Amino acid sequence: QVQLVESGGGSVRSGGSLRLSCSPSSHFVDGHCMGWFRQAPGKDREGIATHNGGGITYIAASVEGRVTVSEDWNKNILYLQLKNLKPEDTGIYYCAGKDEYTCGTKNFASEGFSYWGQGTQVTVSS
């Protein structure tokens, strides 16, 4: 059972940036599909990025151009870089993982992800 821990959330003004981190409890980033999701207040959870076991990433259209996913293979950490943040980006951001290498092509659905972190809060003020 893999545990995922997110960190890096916080409060920023519009236009600001944050880098979120996801640290699995065991070797996981290399070789497994992982995803980043977010849930805004009163809204459904939304998938915004996926990263497959080999490092191929897909970014959802809703955040494309403002979000980058990267990894540190040695440290076993997955990152989500958020830039040019807007108030509508406010929400809880989660990383998730599944026991598969591939995530599919631009598949941002949450089905199939067995492991979830506790989330980290991102608040963007205008």
Side-chain angles (χ1 to χ4, degrees), residues 30-46:
D30 180 3
H32 294 85
C33 167
M34 298 185 72
W36 283 100
F37 297 80
R38 67 182 182 182
Q39 188 164 21
K43 294 189 176 181
D44 292 335
R45 184 168 54 194
E46 172 192 20

Side-chain angles (χ1 to χ4, degrees), residues 5-19:
V5 179
E6 302 97 336
S7 60
S11 297
V12 297
R13 307 287 288 269
S14 288
S17 299
L18 285 171
R19 189 177 75 162

Side-chain angles (χ1 to χ4, degrees), residues 9-78:
S11 297
V12 297
R13 307 287 288 269
S14 288
S17 299
L18 285 171
R19 189 177 75 162
L20 309 184
S21 300
C22 176
S23 299
S25 58
S26 60
H27 184 78
F28 196 84
V29 174
D30 180 3
H32 294 85
C33 167
M34 298 185 72
W36 283 100
F37 297 80
R38 67 182 182 182
Q39 188 164 21
K43 294 189 176 181
D44 292 335
R45 184 168 54 194
E46 172 192 20
I48 58 173
T50 61
H51 174 281
N52 81 358
I56 295 175
T57 63
Y58 293 102
I59 307 298
S62 61
V63 294
E64 194 165 17
R66 302 190 298 117
V67 165
T68 304
V69 176
S70 61
E71 73 289 307
D72 187 322
W73 299 118
N74 290 329
K75 294 182 179 179
N76 189 41
I77 297 174
L78 187 70

Side-chain angles (χ1 to χ4, degrees), residues 36-125:
W36 283 100
F37 297 80
R38 67 182 182 182
Q39 188 164 21
K43 294 189 176 181
D44 292 335
R45 184 168 54 194
E46 172 192 20
I48 58 173
T50 61
H51 174 281
N52 81 358
I56 295 175
T57 63
Y58 293 102
I59 307 298
S62 61
V63 294
E64 194 165 17
R66 302 190 298 117
V67 165
T68 304
V69 176
S70 61
E71 73 289 307
D72 187 322
W73 299 118
N74 290 329
K75 294 182 179 179
N76 189 41
I77 297 174
L78 187 70
Y79 298 104
L80 182 72
Q81 179 71 52
L82 306 168
K83 63 180 183 180
N84 191 22
L85 283 161
K86 306 174 182 180
E88 52 264 42
D89 293 317
T90 293
I92 301 174
Y93 285 68
Y94 300 91
C95 74
K98 61 169 70 174
D99 289 322
E100 297 176 25
Y101 184 91
T102 62
C103 302
T105 301
K106 297 186 179 181
N107 178 11
F108 303 106
S110 62
E111 286 77 13
F113 284 91
S114 301
Y115 312 109
W116 291 83
Q118 81 289 348
T120 186
Q121 176 71 45
V122 171
T123 303
V124 185
S125 58

